Amino acid sequence: ENQNMTMLAVVLVVGLLIGGGVGWFMKPAETTGGGDVEVITETVYEHPFKNKEVQIGYISSSASGLETMEPFLETIIEPDLNEYTAKLGYGTSFTFVIDQADSQAAIHLEKVQSFKSMGLEIFIGGPWSSMAMASLSYVNENDMLMISTSSTSPLLAIEGDRLDRICPTDFVQAPALAEMLYTYGIEQVIVFQRADAWGDGIYNLWHEEWIDRGFGELERVRYAAESTEYANYLSTMNDVIANAAAEYGYERIGVLTESFDESVVYVTQTADYPETRKVMWFGCESTGRTQRMLDDASGLQVQLGLFSSFMAPGKSWKWVSLEDRYYDIAQTNAGFYTGCDYDGTWCTALTMLSVASDKATPV
C-alpha cells in the first residue's frame, strides 16, 4: 500500500447542552496534521428541539377569563409562534397546556403543583398578584419559572426569585391614580379594596402619594378576596359619605376601588345605598374595558363614573393587526393586557429556543 495514503478519521462525540443531548459530528473542514497523518474535522450542531412539540403551561385567573384566553392562545398565539418556528427549519412546534384558577389563590397553587408533576417547569401564570404570591415559594423551591403578564404588586418585586413580570408595577400606577383623583377635584377618598397582596400594594403606595399632596382619606374598606356579598361594606360607606358630605360636599368625595370582576356585583348593589351613588367612583387598571361590567351591570356603572387608570398600548401596525384578529375571536376590543399576554408568550418561547431547553434550570 502507498505509505503516503491519507488516513481519514471520523470521530463521533456525544455532547450535552442545556436541556438535552446534542450530536457533534467530526467531518472534513478543519485540518491539523503531523507526518503522514491528516485529521480533518467539522462540527455539526443539531437543535435539541428538532422535530419536537414543546409545551408551555398557562393558568388563567378564572373560568370567565378562560373564555377569551383559550381561543386567543389556540387561534392566534400558537399559530403565530409555529409559523415562526417553521421558518427556522427545526420542525419544532409549541403548544399550551391551559388551566384556570377559579379566582382562588389556593387553587392557582394546586395548578402549579400539577404542572410540576407533569414535568412542566416553565409556565405563564400568577395573573393576579395574590395568585403569584401564593405560588412563589413553591416555584422557587421546585426550580420552576413563573411568567406573569398582569401581576403588578410592588410586594412581589423580589430580587433573585423565579417570577418574571411582563407588565409595569404599581410603583408607576399609584401616582397616576392620585393625579386622576386630583384632576377631578376630589379631596377626600374612601378606599374600597380587595384584601390581598395586589390591593394592599396599590394602597400603600397611593396612600403615601395622596397624603403628601395634602388630601384626606375618609375610610379604608378591605373585603376578603373571595367575597360575593358586599351589603355590609356598602352600608358602612353609605354612612361615611352621608356624614362627610355636609363638610366637603359630594363633588369633593370620591371612592377609589381596587377590584376585579367582583366589581360588577357591588356596583349593582349600590342601587340599595343611595349615598354611594352621589359621589364619583374611580378604579385602577383592572376595571378598564371589563366586558362583564358592560354585560351585567345594567348601566348602573355609568352614573358612578368608574374612571380607570387602564394603560393604553402604543399604536403600530403590529398592534392594529393583533387588535383586529382579537376582536374577531372575542367580539371585544383588545387591551393593554392582551398585548402583555401576546408578548409574554413570545418572550417565553423565544427564550426556550435560545437556550435550547424547556427546563427552568440549566443542567
Side-chain angles (χ1 to χ4, degrees):
E1 296 291 337
N2 187 342
Q3 292 183 353
N4 295 321
M5 178 179 293
T6 301
M7 296 179 63
L8 175 64
V10 181
V11 183
L12 174 62
V13 179
V14 178
L16 185 66
L17 291 185
I18 298 174
V22 179
W24 294 81
F25 298 90
M26 305 305 182
K27 294 183 179 178
E30 181 182 339
T31 302
T32 60
D36 296 331
V37 178
E38 185 178 48
V39 178
I40 304 171
T41 65
E42 177 184 348
T43 302
V44 178
Y45 170 71
E46 183 174 279
H47 199 284
F49 286 170
K50 184 175 176 64
N51 299 324
K52 181 178 178 181
E53 180 182 273
V54 181
Q55 294 183 323
I56 301 174
Y58 189 98
I59 305 176
S60 178
S61 60
S62 61
S64 60
L66 200 60
E67 290 178 4
T68 53
M69 198 61 226
E70 191 165 27
F72 185 32
L73 288 167
E74 293 179 347
T75 65
I76 293 180
I77 296 178
E78 256 186 37
D80 284 3
L81 288 175
N82 291 330
E83 180 182 359
Y84 173 78
T85 57
K87 294 176 181 178
L88 297 177
Y90 298 157
T92 306
S93 63
F94 284 96
T95 59
F96 291 93
V97 179
I98 307 170
D99 213 327
Q100 61 93 12
D102 203 23
S103 301
Q104 300 295 323
I107 294 178
H108 182 273
L109 174 57
E110 292 175 4
K111 303 301 183 180
V112 174
Q113 293 168 332
S114 176
F115 279 170
K116 179 65 177 178
S117 69
M118 296 165 58
L120 281 174
E121 296 184 1
I122 300 174
F123 68 97
I124 297 169
W128 296 355
S129 292
S130 58
M131 294 177 177
M133 181 166 284
S135 300
L136 187 55
S137 292
Y138 182 86
V139 168
N140 290 337
E141 293 166 2
N142 289 273
D143 297 330
M144 301 178 75
L145 179 61
M146 175 165 53
I147 297 96
S148 175
T149 60
S150 53
S151 165
T152 61
S153 173
L155 300 177
L156 285 165
I158 303 169
E159 185 176 355
D161 67 358
R162 288 174 169 268
L163 168 65
D164 289 335
R165 296 191 284 183
I166 304 298
C167 58
T169 73
D170 293 322
F171 284 112
V172 177
Q173 180 174 204
L177 288 170
E179 183 67 15
M180 178 172 64
L181 291 161
Y182 166 73
T183 57
Y184 275 91
I186 303 302
E187 296 179 358
Q188 300 294 323
V189 175
I190 298 173
V191 177
F192 190 39
Q193 61 148 113
R194 294 173 63 96
D196 60 14
W198 172 76
D200 289 341
I202 294 177
Y203 172 81
N204 292 337
L205 292 172
W206 169 85
H207 177 78
E208 182 177 353
E209 176 80 20
W210 188 244
I211 298 303
D212 285 348
R213 289 174 179 240
F215 301 122
E217 180 182 321
L218 295 172
E219 189 82 18
R220 181 188 183 191
V221 180
R222 296 171 79 245
Y223 61 86
E226 61 272 15
S227 295
T228 57
E229 172 57 50
Y230 303 92
N232 289 339
Y233 304 116
L234 292 171
S235 177
T236 297
M237 293 165 62
N238 198 75
D239 293 342
V240 170
I241 292 169
N243 292 331
E247 181 177 353
Y248 301 106
Y250 291 109
E251 70 279 1
R252 303 217 179 273
I253 299 172
V255 177
L256 175 61
T257 68
E258 298 165 14
S259 309
F260 295 142
D261 281 350
E262 69 270 12
S263 60
V264 179
V265 179
Y266 63 67
V267 163
T268 302
Q269 292 180 344
T270 60
D272 298 325
Y273 302 92
E275 293 295 311
T276 66
R277 299 195 58 79
K278 295 178 182 179
V279 298
M280 193 72 71
W281 287 49
F282 300 83
C284 47
E285 91 285 0
S286 61
T287 54
R289 288 194 179 184
T290 161
Q291 189 64 40
R292 186 179 173 193
M293 186 72 77
L294 293 173
D295 292 341
D296 300 339
S298 303
L300 288 168
Q301 75 275 20
V302 176
Q303 183 182 340
L304 298 180
L306 271 180
F307 299 105
S308 169
S309 58
F310 192 58
M311 297 80 76
K315 290 291 183 180
S316 67
W317 68 267
K318 289 184 178 180
W319 170 256
V320 172
S321 172
L322 178 64
E323 193 172 37
D324 289 344
R325 291 188 293 158
Y326 184 82
Y327 189 86
D328 287 343
I329 64 165
Q331 298 304 301
T332 188
N333 293 320
F336 177 79
Y337 287 116
T338 311
C340 289
D341 277 317
Y342 189 79
D343 288 348
T345 52
W346 268 94
C347 287
T348 303
L350 290 176
T351 301
M352 293 169 77
L353 285 170
S354 178
V355 301
S357 176
D358 58 1
K359 302 302 179 185
T361 302
V363 293

